[in-house]
Amino acid sequence: MPQMTFVEQDGTERTVDAPLGLSVLEIAHKHGIDLEGACEGSLACATCHVVVDPSWAPKLEAATDDEEDMLDLAFGLEKTSRLGCQIVMTEALDGLVVRLPHTA
């Protein structure tokens, strides 16, 4: 099974199993990682904002216009910011690393 690593706000790294077909948001919830996802992945908020490790960013599909619009609402936006609900785990993403941004 693929794995991915979440880097929490305090710098703690948590490597977890990442089932194929689940979004980063769903994977976070499955493992008790503090990633809100208030709209439950319906692309109606920016509370599942993550920062993708720069080495992984080019391996992701480009963000849609709708995702870009929601990201404009995120606090602490960075060049590789994405919404966790829009990144779906594939074999090619085995080893993906994302960081949870500071919220204040």
Side-chain angles (χ1 to χ4, degrees):
M1 173 176 298
Q3 293 191 318
M4 67 170 293
T5 299
F6 290 91
V7 181
E8 299 187 43
Q9 293 173 344
D10 66 1
T12 302
E13 293 186 10
R14 289 189 53 196
T15 300
V16 299
D17 287 337
L20 296 174
L22 291 187
S23 70
V24 167
L25 174 62
E26 292 169 316
I27 295 164
H29 287 177
K30 179 177 174 62
H31 294 286
I33 292 169
D34 189 22
L35 186 59
E36 185 175 346
C39 74
E40 299 179 0
S42 65
L43 196 55
C45 72
T47 59
C48 65
H49 169 219
V50 296
V51 180
V52 177
D53 184 276
S55 66
W56 282 96
K59 298 174 185 176
L60 300 179
E61 290 187 26
T64 64
D65 289 342
D66 288 341
E67 181 180 358
E68 292 286 352
D69 289 345
M70 285 295 108
L71 279 168
D72 287 342
L73 305 174
F75 180 82
L77 202 61
E78 296 185 27
K79 185 176 180 180
T80 60
S81 288
R82 294 293 302 267
L83 296 181
C85 67
Q86 298 301 297
I87 303 170
V88 177
M89 185 53 62
T90 64
E91 288 286 354
L93 295 180
D94 185 13
L96 175 67
V97 177
V98 301
R99 178 171 47 82
L100 305 181
H102 293 283
T103 56

